[in-house]
Structures are given as C-alpha cells and as structure tokens.
Amino acid sequence: MTIKIAVIGAGIMGADHAKIVSGDLPGAVLHVVCDASSDRARKIADEFGAADVASDPFATIARSDVDAVLVASPDETHAPLSLAAIKAGKPILCEKPLSQSSKECLEVIDAEIKSGRQFVQLGFMRRFDPSYREMKAALMDGSLGHALMMHNFHRNVEAPANFSGQMAITNSAPHEFDVARFILDAEYRFVTAFQPKGPNGLRAGAPVFMVLETDKGQLVNIEINNNAAYGYDVRGELVGERGSVSLAATSHLRRDSSMMAFEPYAPDWRPRFAEAYRLQNKAFVDFVRTGKIPAVAADAWSGYAAALVAEAGVEALVSGRRIGIERAERPVLYDR
Ligand code: ISE
C-alpha cells in the first residue's frame, strides 16, 4: 500500500519535506499540501505534484484519504496538531519543537498513553545525521572510555533583528539539547546560561553560551550564535577518557588558491542536514507501516525533555543563576 502523506505548512521546511516526500521516499506519495495561504499551498503542490491542496489543517488530518501527516507549520501549532493526529489515529512527523511549554508536551504524552501507542515522531533530524551517528557509535564501542564532555557550536548566518537570546534557547538550542542527550544517553540536571558583552554592553542578537550538567556528571557546553555572518556551521566534539571524536566538515569541495585553502559553507541548515532529513523521513515511512517508532527517532518524550531544558535555560539566562531541572517520571510507553 502506498502511504498518502499530507504536508501541513508550506514554508521553508514544508517545501523541503514536500520535495523529499515526492522525490525521495519510496512507498509514500505527497497527497495534500495544506497551508493557511492557498497560493503558497498551490505553489508547493504544483512544484512537487501533490493531488490536492487545503487550508484547514485539522480537516486535513481527519480526511479518510490521508494516512499520515508531516507538520512544518508555525511552532505554536505543533502540539494542537499532534493532539489532532493522535485523536485521528494517524502517525505524525512533527517538526521541532513539540511545544515550548513542557506542560503542553505532557498533554501530548497523556493523549498517546490514553490511546495506547505512540503516534508522534519528532523532527530532531540530527539523530539521523551520519556524523552524529558515528559519534554515538564511537562512544558505544567503548574505545573512548566514559564520555566526559561534549562541546557544541551552532551558528547561523543572520537572525531577524527581534531574535533574542531567549529565542536562541527555545528555538535553536533544542537541537543540541536533544542530540547531546541522545549521544550521551543521559538526562540534564542543571543549566547555566551566559551572553558575552562587547565594548558597548550586550548587543542585540548576541550569542548565548550554556553549560549543562548531566545526571552522569558530564558537562555539555553549547554556543548558539545566530549572527555568525560567515555561514551555517555546526560543530561538535565528544571528549572521552581515552580520546575524542569531532564532527568533520561536510563540504564536498576544498579550493586552494592565492596561497590559501577555502571550504564553502551552506547559507542555512538544509544542505548541511539534507541526508539527515532524508533518513528521518524514510524512518517515518517505516513507522507508519509498522506502528513502531524507529529506535533512533525522537518522540514526544524527547520533545518534553528538550522543552524542560529550554525553560530552565531561559530562567538561567534571565536570572544569572544555575537552574536545576526536575523531570516527571518517564511513562513505560516511552521505554526503548
Ligand atoms: C532553526 O530554527 C532550525 O530549526 C534549524 O534546524 C537549525 O539548524 C537552525 O539553526 C535554527 O535556527
């Protein structure tokens, strides 16, 4: 059976997902593109060959000719649309964050528990990125010894003028919160957050620097710099007792000229994580077929874990204090 997918949200990420579903996802077809703007929906539907367009996401999820949904609409719609998908009994691949409120994440988790199974796969795509996968494998094969620290850099070229330090924590850093938690297989206990000041004090759009402490005693530092100017750049290094592993540059090209060597950067995250998105979406098709969430994939509980740290991170930044992170008990449905 070919799985009929509705993509909800036809912005940058919706268009990217529509492209993957239509061109790179055996066993699935792009059936509906839904967006509040019918022009935008129509443009993406025509470009990637969807059978239909729609503007009401809830009605789209309920359609009997839609088997599964892929949500890339604005952040505040993620939890309500996840709840609608659970109610309709349809698997959903939802872009991160599940919600910026840990309380709202728990509502999604409650709905899954009541329905008796998982429906939500969360779009923390870095878990599928080959370089992060190899980093995890290097830790698991024992050659590094115990992991002690993980250094993370996350740089965007430029953020909108209103993109504050708090937004860097709630919008950009969840990727690191999730992938470091996934690689270390640990939970966070404390977070501290700082912003560097220039000669004239704190600049709008200044980077955020966080230090997280895990329940295994490891330290994770995260730099989010959304105005790095030179390119989209994600780096990571995992330091163990007997060695360290780093994500390698993913560029396919190095240019040597004028006594210098150059490696190009992508302007945003889509080229850097193209393979991760493709593998993630492929895993979603398996999830739809089997009803079993792929072992690597993030779920609603991962969304809750990321939201908790983001909330504590914002509090740490605003208060200048080291903030403790209290978690609810993990329900058995999320044992993997
Ligand atoms: C953005 O919000 C994302 O979600 C991207 O995946 C990330 O790489 C980017 O840096 C964020 O700003």
Side-chain angles (χ1 to χ4, degrees):
M1 166 197 113
T2 301
I3 295 160
K4 291 184 174 158
I5 293 187
V7 169
I8 296 177
I12 298 181
M13 276 321 299
D16 214 49
H17 284 299
K19 184 173 166 200
I20 296 172
V21 175
S22 74
D24 229 345
L25 218 50
V29 286
L30 179 65
H31 191 54
V32 184
V33 176
C34 172
D35 195 281
S37 149
S38 42
D39 286 349
R40 209 155 52 177
R42 173 52 62 203
K43 183 171 170 289
I44 300 300
D46 287 350
E47 192 171 347
F48 299 112
D52 205 359
V53 292
S55 57
D56 179 341
F58 294 97
T60 302
I61 290 172
R63 276 169 69 146
S64 60
D65 59 348
V66 165
D67 302 314
V69 283
L70 211 159
V71 165
S73 46
D75 289 3
E76 67 279 6
T77 65
H78 294 178
L81 294 176
S82 296
L83 288 168
I86 295 166
K87 191 161 163 227
K90 296 186 184 171
I92 169 172
L93 172 54
C94 183
E95 269 297 330
K96 45 68 56 178
L98 180 54
S99 168
Q100 288 187 3
S101 144
S102 57
K103 195 168 150 277
E104 198 176 30
C105 293
L106 285 175
E107 288 167 23
V108 174
I109 286 165
D110 269 355
E112 284 195 315
I113 292 171
K114 289 203 178 90
S115 79
R117 59 157 279 194
Q118 292 185 270
F119 286 100
V120 182
Q121 181 180 330
L122 198 61
F124 280 130
M125 79 298 181
R126 289 193 193 179
R127 290 171 174 233
F128 291 89
D129 175 69
S131 51
Y132 279 113
R133 294 295 296 281
E134 285 187 30
M135 183 179 265
K136 186 168 174 70
L139 179 61
M140 289 176 74
D141 74 17
S143 52
L144 294 176
H146 288 294
L148 300 173
M149 293 179 284
M150 186 166 166
H151 305 292
N152 302 274
F153 302 66
H154 179 160
R155 296 176 183 158
N156 276 284
V157 176
E158 189 182 17
N162 68 344
F163 207 90
S164 63
Q166 299 187 30
M167 286 159 81
I169 296 175
T170 56
N171 186 282
S172 307
H175 281 297
E176 275 76 19
F177 297 153
D178 181 71
V179 83
R181 174 178 174 268
F182 170 68
I183 286 177
L184 297 170
D185 192 22
E187 297 292 352
Y188 301 114
R189 293 196 55 208
F190 296 99
V191 55
T192 353
F194 311 88
Q195 284 191 288
K197 295 194 177 76
N200 301 316
L202 187 65
R203 260 191 330 117
V208 173
F209 191 93
M210 280 170 278
V211 178
L212 294 112
E213 297 162 62
T214 75
D215 56 359
K216 294 180 174 168
Q218 299 137 330
L219 295 178
V220 174
N221 71 283
I222 303 175
E223 172 203 306
I224 304 290
N225 182 357
N226 281 329
N227 289 295
Y230 65 87
Y232 183 75
D233 190 9
V234 163
R235 303 184 202 180
E237 181 180 10
L238 178 64
V239 182
E241 292 166 313
R242 289 198 291 275
S244 96
V245 282
S246 302
L247 307 177
T250 51
S251 135
H252 298 293
L253 191 84
R254 192 180 95 135
R255 178 181 299 217
D256 299 301
S257 84
S258 315
M259 315 295 156
M260 306 254 272
F262 302 86
E263 276 182 14
Y265 281 103
D268 70 33
W269 60 91
R270 288 168 295 169
R272 165 66 183 85
F273 288 111
E275 182 64 357
Y277 281 113
R278 200 182 66 77
L279 294 172
Q280 165 193 261
N281 293 12
K282 230 165 139 298
F284 179 60
V285 170
D286 292 341
F287 177 34
V288 179
R289 282 201 195 294
T290 62
K292 251 189 88 58
I293 195 138
V296 173
D299 59 12
W301 187 254
S302 328
Y304 165 70
L308 270 184
V309 196
E311 285 169 345
V314 168
E315 195 185 335
L317 186 68
V318 172
S319 68
R321 288 186 294 117
R322 172 178 180 249
I323 302 296
I325 300 163
E326 295 294 332
R327 264 185 332 280
E329 184 114 354
R330 189 176 63 198
V332 282
L333 184 63
Y334 299 93
D335 284 348
R336 283 203 256 161

